[in-house]
Amino acid sequence: MSSYSHTVAGHTWRFDSLREVMAKASPARSGDYLAGVAASSDVERVAAQMCLAEIPLTRFLDEALIPYEQDEVTRLILDGHDRAAFAPVSHLTVGGLRDWLLGDAADEASLRALAPGLTPEMAAAVSKIMRVQDLVLVAQKIRVVTRFRNTQGLRGRMSTRLQPNHPTDEPAGIAASILDGLLYGNGDAMLGINPASDSLSAIGEMLRMLDGVIQRYEIPTQACVLTHVTTSIEAINRGVPLDLVFQSIAGSEAANASFGISLSILQEGYEAGLSQGRGTLGNNLMYFETGQGSALSAGAHHGVDQQTCEARAYAVARHFKPFLVNTVVGFIGPEYLYNGKQIIRAGLEDHFCGKLLGLPMGCDICYTNHAEADQDDMDTLLTLFGVAGINFIMGIPGSDDVMLNYQTTSFHDALYARRTLGLRPAPEFEAWLERMDILRQRDGRLELGRQLPAPFRKALEQLA
């Protein structure tokens, strides 16, 4: 293991390992202080960032932050590294990669070709020495397109996950939220429920209900109930109609074990999902959620800073060709991301790293009620994400999730972003919205229809 040093204002700062340089170069956040890995001062942080900028990218192939012998995620990263894809930037340092990414040579085609050649640690390293505008500029160059029943990730498009959660999984309450969301043009990323119960019978009932809505109204979207991957496998074995296979994932083997998963279990879930053959346009069917701090909360971070642990989770996701990946940025709490400033920075880092590694990134732009953040912070992050080309965001009634008890983005927030930035839903879903007269073309832009579509009037009468 190598040591590193850099001199700032006549003082030489020494770092005992690449892992320490990475941690101390991270922008300040509460989780790294909690873990005891953060820089002791702004001066030390700058010294670590300047030191990191001078480290060759090849060093990340020689010095694993979590030992190869101890961790299957490390083995996945290093064994799957594409040296041919890496070749165009293999001579660069971390600082050199930043300069290249910001230049004209790094266009959509070259970044797509580069993705298999970058490790998560390389992506995390370069993000640590980038400004907010750098993270936005590079991310907006990249488009990661996936398909199941519609097409996600096209330039000029931004989708939403319609999240109709209910504290008791009451079907009528879920249906009312779905109807509300669809009438605001939400739901093209998926109709996705966080269940209050994890019983197989309750999960099956919700999946059948979602499938019934999609089939009855011929909606070109996909459904997901966010249950454990093993529950999804069992549901598939019992013939329950299941579109997307969900799992929360993290960046170390031990953290994933705390979720009750391994790479082999995820592979089993992936293969079970493929066996359904439910995609009409493509076979991207995994839905993963992540969040900075998850490895630390499980005591499974190995002394690695939380943002680098998060980027390592993207190697797990990338292996299974997901339909969507969602960083639930402020959900874990202020112990990990203390305030709006830290949440905004973390969300942009996650989006940048995920896109750079070839993932279809979205974000739950959110905060818990005990964090030092508010809806103004979320509006700022939402706008930055819209400019940066995010694949999808959340759509929830009133932005207040009544089951999970946190604040996120509403159906109206999605309308704001689409109108302000000229973004549109997924093309197949947009055509359905126009056919249902939910959205209309007017003067080259989409606006909400004036009347409740006839099929939905009947549904509303039944709910009443």
Side-chain angles (χ1 to χ4, degrees), residues 342-366:
Q342 292 186 12
I343 291 170
I344 290 168
R345 172 78 196 194
L348 294 172
E349 288 170 350
D350 295 350
H351 179 251
F352 164 85
C353 289
K355 293 277 280 295
L356 197 59
L357 294 167
L359 287 177
M361 290 301 295
C363 183
D364 191 339
I365 303 164
C366 64

Side-chain angles (χ1 to χ4, degrees), residues 228-249:
H228 195 270
V229 62
T230 55
T231 305
S232 293
I233 292 169
E234 183 58 28
I236 290 170
N237 291 338
R238 296 189 184 191
V240 176
L242 187 150
D243 295 336
L244 304 183
V245 177
F246 165 78
Q247 184 56 49
S248 293
I249 57 173

Side-chain angles (χ1 to χ4, degrees), residues 107-172:
D107 57 16
E108 186 172 347
S110 62
L111 289 169
R112 185 183 302 113
L114 176 64
L118 293 178
T119 68
E121 291 86 352
M122 295 175 192
V126 74
S127 76
K128 295 177 191 298
I129 62 169
M130 298 182 94
R131 297 171 58 184
V132 161
Q133 65 177 247
D134 299 340
L135 298 172
V136 171
L137 188 153
V138 175
Q140 65 82 29
K141 297 182 183 185
I142 305 167
R143 289 297 181 272
V144 181
V145 177
T146 58
R147 294 177 175 86
F148 191 75
R149 288 203 192 97
N150 61 33
T151 307
Q152 296 289 309
L154 296 171
R155 190 170 294 276
R157 307 277 176 171
M158 186 192 75
S159 297
T160 63
R161 169 188 159 190
L162 202 170
Q163 185 169 302
N165 294 347
H166 191 277
T168 62
D169 294 335
E170 169 60 42

Side-chain angles (χ1 to χ4, degrees), residues 250-409:
S252 73
E253 180 178 347
N256 284 324
S258 75
F259 292 149
I261 61 166
S262 63
L263 295 178
S264 62
I265 290 174
L266 292 176
Q267 183 67 34
E268 185 180 352
Y270 177 58
E271 291 172 359
L274 285 175
S275 73
Q276 295 278 83
R278 293 178 62 80
T280 55
L281 297 182
N283 290 320
N284 302 113
L285 54 82
M286 300 298 285
Y287 173 54
F288 293 119
E289 287 194 345
T290 67
Q292 288 194 26
S294 59
L296 174 58
S297 67
H301 59 102
H302 298 271
V304 176
D305 68 90
Q306 66 181 34
Q307 190 254 333
T308 302
C309 284
E310 170 74 3
R312 284 170 54 91
Y314 302 155
V316 177
R318 179 167 65 174
H319 185 66
F320 297 100
K321 305 176 181 64
F323 183 64
L324 304 167
V325 178
N326 180 27
T327 170
V328 192
V329 65
F331 183 75
I332 300 181
E335 301 85 354
Y336 306 97
L337 296 170
Y338 178 72
N339 56 20
K341 180 180 178 65
Q342 292 186 12
I343 291 170
I344 290 168
R345 172 78 196 194
L348 294 172
E349 288 170 350
D350 295 350
H351 179 251
F352 164 85
C353 289
K355 293 277 280 295
L356 197 59
L357 294 167
L359 287 177
M361 290 301 295
C363 183
D364 191 339
I365 303 164
C366 64
Y367 62 99
T368 56
N369 289 314
H370 61 309
E372 290 293 323
D374 58 29
Q375 213 62 43
D376 287 345
D377 297 315
M378 300 305 102
D379 286 351
T380 299
L381 184 52
L382 169 60
T383 305
L384 288 167
F385 273 141
V387 176
I390 198 164
N391 279 33
F392 74 104
I393 62 169
M394 302 296 109
I396 293 176
S399 78
D400 185 358
D401 191 299
V402 296
M403 196 279 281
L404 293 174
N405 295 310
Y406 76 116
Q407 306 301 312
T408 181
T409 44

